[in-house]
């Protein structure tokens, strides 16, 4: 019965949507959970050091620790404002 | 050597019946109001009914509720915090359940602040209870604050009470993260806490209509062993009105589901029930579609 199917698929969506959203947020939260506690402090120190040389703000520095099998990679991303990029 | 050293040790002491190992089970969830206290009361009673000496501890300091659900609210004299502070001894604070043999309740205090629970204090009380009890069921407060942390810290097993709903599932996953990192077992490189999923307030009809996450969905996301599914049931409110744990209502679906879960907890193989729609949906019935 076609119109029955219509109701069904339409309503199936909300549970499916819930599952998809959960899978994404849970995966994201698990990856940040595994980061060591010192990361925020490290980020703060790095900002201080860099600030001695270039004027930067908190949101221009991004510290990330990625596990890749046997080892971890500490990734440091600093975005300089355009006029300071070339010195 | 004729027998392994462990067997020798056991023979040298008393038999296993006389010296059972105590298991500490935390009932936790992160999110509030999902059914932790209902579950603590039901499973604690279930374990005692099956002959295991059990104590249920209310860790919800400031908001005690277990006493009401167990129907012993008028018998509370001393509480968990009194014992921790040395203002009462355990025997004065433990309430012996009137309905079920082998069952005791240790109520939370109603007035004091959360800092009353110290790690050393909790450990001391648990160690003392271990001498006497086979199961210690810890009813955790909601949240991921100190109370919840204290309830889970010394656990051997954790029952993650989850509702089929996004925020509950997400909070359960956060709790799993804490169980795996911020507990005694995790911090001391011991075998990890055994984690069990208990999906409560489940409505198979709504799952069938695609309006509610299914057991499989939640299992997929949390990836832990399923202890059982407790259906959404009117019997739970009825039981709490009466102050009798719902497992005592053995005619009710929720009561039976908690009994199944108790038996699984004790290692029995019990087939899952209450996950299928009970009767045909309204459209199917109206049109006679099979
Ligand atoms: N299977 C169920 N069917 C219907 N209602 C339920 C079910 N389980 C729990 N409830 C209801 O949900 C409410 C919350 O239950 P309960 O107090 O056990 O949750 P909790 O997790 O201990 O809450 P808190 O986080 O506040 O301690 C109660 O009103 C209870 O009757
Ligand atoms: Mg509660």
């Amino acid at each position: 019965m076609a119109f029955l199917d219509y109701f069904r698929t339409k309503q199936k969506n909300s549970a499916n949507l819930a599952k998809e959203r959960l899978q994404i947020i849970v995966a994201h939260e698990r990856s940040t959970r595994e980061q060591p506690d010192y990361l925020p402090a490290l980020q703060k120190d790095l900002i201080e050091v860099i600030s001695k040389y270039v004027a930067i703000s908190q949101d221009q520095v991004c510290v990330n620790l990625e596990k890749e099998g046997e080892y971890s990679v500490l990734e440091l991303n600093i975005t300089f404002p355009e006029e300071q990029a070339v010195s | 050597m004729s027998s392994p050293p462990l067997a020798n040790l056991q023979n040298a002491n008393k038999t296993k019946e006389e010296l059972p190992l105590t298991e500490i089970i935390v009932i936790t969830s992160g999110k509030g109001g999902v059914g932790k206290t209902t579950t603590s009361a039901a499973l604690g009673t279930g374990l005692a009914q099956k002959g295991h000496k059990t104590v249920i501890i209310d860790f919800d300091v400031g908001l005690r509720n277990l006493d009401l659900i167990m129907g012993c609210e008028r018998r509370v004299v001393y509480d968990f915090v009194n014992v921790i502070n040395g203002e009462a001894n355990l025997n004065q604070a433990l309430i012996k359940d009137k309905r079920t043999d082998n069952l005791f309740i240790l109520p939370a205090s109603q007035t004091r602040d959360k800092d009353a629970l110290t790690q050393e204090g909790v450990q001391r009380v648990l160690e003392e209870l271990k001498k006497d009890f086979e199961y210690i069921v810890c009813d955790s407060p909601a949240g991921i604050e100190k109370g919840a942390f204290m309830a889970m810290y010394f656990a051997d097993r954790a029952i993650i009470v989850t509702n089929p709903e996004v925020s509950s599932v997400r909070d359960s996953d956060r709790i799993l993260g804490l169980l795996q990192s911020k507990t005694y077992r995790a911090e001391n490189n011991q075998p990890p806490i055994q984690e069990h999923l208990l999906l409560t307030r489940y409505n198979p009809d709504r799952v069938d209509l695609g309006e509610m996450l299914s057991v499989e969905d939640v299992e997929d996301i949390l990836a832990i062993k399923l202890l059982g599914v407790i259906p959404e049931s009117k019997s739970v409110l009825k039981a709490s009105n009466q102050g009798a744990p719902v497992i005592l209502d053995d005619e009710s679906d929720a009561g039976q589901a908690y009994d199944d879960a108790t038996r699984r907890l004790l290692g029995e193989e019990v087939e899952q029930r209450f996950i299928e729609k009970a009767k045909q949906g309204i459209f199917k019935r109206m049109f006679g579609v099979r």
Side-chain angles (χ1 to χ4, degrees):
Chain A
M1 228 172 250
F3 94 98
L4 256 186
D5 290 345
Y6 169 76
F7 277 112
R8 299 217 132 206
T9 44
K10 197 177 167 210
Q11 287 169 321
K12 271 262 184 306
N13 283 343
S14 100
N16 285 346
L17 187 61
K19 185 178 183 183
E20 279 166 28
R21 290 173 59 219
L22 272 168
Q23 280 171 324
I24 293 166
I25 190 68
V26 160
H28 171 75
E29 286 175 350
R30 280 181 191 160
S31 68
T32 56
R33 188 193 294 163
E34 281 152 23
Q35 298 197 337
D37 299 342
Y38 63 72
L39 226 57
L42 176 66
Q43 174 155 2
K44 195 170 145 274
D45 286 354
L46 284 170
I47 291 169
E48 257 170 46
V49 173
I50 298 163
S51 302
K52 283 190 193 167
Y53 305 93
V54 201
I56 50 160
S57 67
Q58 176 92 27
D59 55 359
Q60 287 168 274
V61 179
C62 172
V63 185
N64 206 12
L65 194 72
E66 292 273 343
K67 268 218 180 85
E68 290 183 14
E70 299 270 291
Y71 53 90
S72 302
V73 176
L74 182 71
E75 198 180 65
L76 177 63
N77 269 306
I78 308 165
T79 340
F80 289 135
E82 207 152 305
E83 60 276 18
Q84 288 169 330
V86 211
S87 64
Chain B
M1 271 249 225
S2 55
S3 54
L6 189 67
N8 280 336
L9 196 77
Q10 276 178 352
N11 289 342
N13 290 311
K14 293 176 190 158
T15 63
K16 222 179 165 205
E17 263 76 48
E18 284 168 287
L19 260 185
L21 275 181
T22 305
E23 206 162 67
I24 302 178
I25 305 175
V26 61
I27 315 293
T28 183
S29 70
K31 187 170 159 63
V34 295
K36 293 178 294 295
T37 302
T38 304
T39 299
S40 301
L43 293 183
T45 303
L47 291 167
Q49 281 181 324
K50 309 264 180 299
H52 304 281
K53 199 170 175 191
T54 302
V55 55
I56 316 174
I57 309 181
D58 190 347
F59 273 79
D60 208 342
V61 171
L63 278 174
R64 82 165 166 239
N65 268 325
L66 181 69
D67 55 339
L68 270 177
I69 300 300
M70 295 298 298
C72 64
E73 69 277 7
R74 300 187 54 187
R75 296 166 62 208
V76 176
V77 184
Y78 294 109
D79 57 56
F80 193 18
V81 172
N82 290 139
V83 179
I84 287 177
N85 291 344
E87 294 151 2
N89 62 41
L90 255 181
N91 288 334
Q92 289 173 300
L94 284 173
I95 300 173
K96 189 180 184 328
D97 193 86
K98 285 206 164 136
R99 298 188 187 86
T100 312
D101 280 345
N102 304 311
L103 184 60
F104 290 78
I105 290 100
L106 184 55
S109 70
Q110 188 66 295
T111 50
R112 292 178 209 237
D113 67 325
K114 291 188 177 69
D115 292 329
L117 293 183
T118 61
Q119 193 162 303
E120 301 71 42
V122 171
Q123 184 167 29
R124 196 159 24 81
V125 175
L126 290 175
E127 286 304 322
E128 208 177 328
L129 288 169
K130 275 186 182 180
K131 292 180 200 154
D132 236 21
F133 289 92
E134 274 180 84
Y135 288 98
I136 302 175
V137 176
C138 305
D139 180 16
S140 173
I144 49 173
E145 307 291 306
K146 191 160 180 190
F149 172 70
M150 284 298 151
M152 72 167 71
Y153 191 73
F154 295 103
D156 302 306
R157 286 198 200 211
I159 295 175
I160 325 293
V161 181
T162 307
N163 291 166
E165 174 265 321
V166 284
S167 52
S168 173
V169 176
R170 179 203 214 167
D171 286 1
S172 292
D173 194 69
R174 289 191 69 185
I175 285 290
L176 287 170
L178 294 176
L179 287 165
Q180 289 154 12
S181 61
K182 301 272 189 281
T183 51
Y184 183 86
R185 281 177 174 271
E187 287 173 0
N188 292 277
N189 290 315
Q190 290 189 1
I193 294 176
Q194 285 183 57
E195 301 154 342
H196 306 269
L197 169 65
L198 188 73
L199 199 56
T200 64
R201 311 201 69 162
Y202 196 69
N203 186 332
D205 290 319
R206 300 196 70 184
V207 172
D208 201 66
L209 289 167
E211 296 174 356
M212 183 182 267
L213 289 163
S214 70
V215 198
E216 295 81 22
D217 291 340
V218 181
E219 279 185 285
D220 266 4
I221 294 160
L222 295 179
I224 55 172
K225 226 172 93 191
L226 180 69
L227 179 69
V229 175
I230 312 296
E232 171 78 24
S233 168
K234 290 181 178 158
S235 60
V236 174
L237 182 58
K238 190 174 150 216
S240 79
N241 286 341
Q242 295 170 336
V246 69
I247 197 170
L248 294 178
D249 182 358
D250 52 18
E251 311 245 287
S252 69
D253 48 359
Q256 292 173 7
Y258 274 118
D259 188 70
D260 286 2
T262 308
R263 289 191 285 143
R264 287 187 203 108
L265 202 58
L266 291 168
E268 241 180 88
E269 287 277 341
V270 184
E271 215 186 307
Q272 296 289 347
R273 296 194 271 172
F274 311 108
I275 48 181
E276 299 294 331
K277 213 164 51 139
K279 39 195 176 324
Q280 288 191 327
I282 182 148
F283 280 113
K284 281 191 180 173
R285 259 188 294 157
M286 275 169 61
F287 296 99
V289 187
R290 281 241 83 205

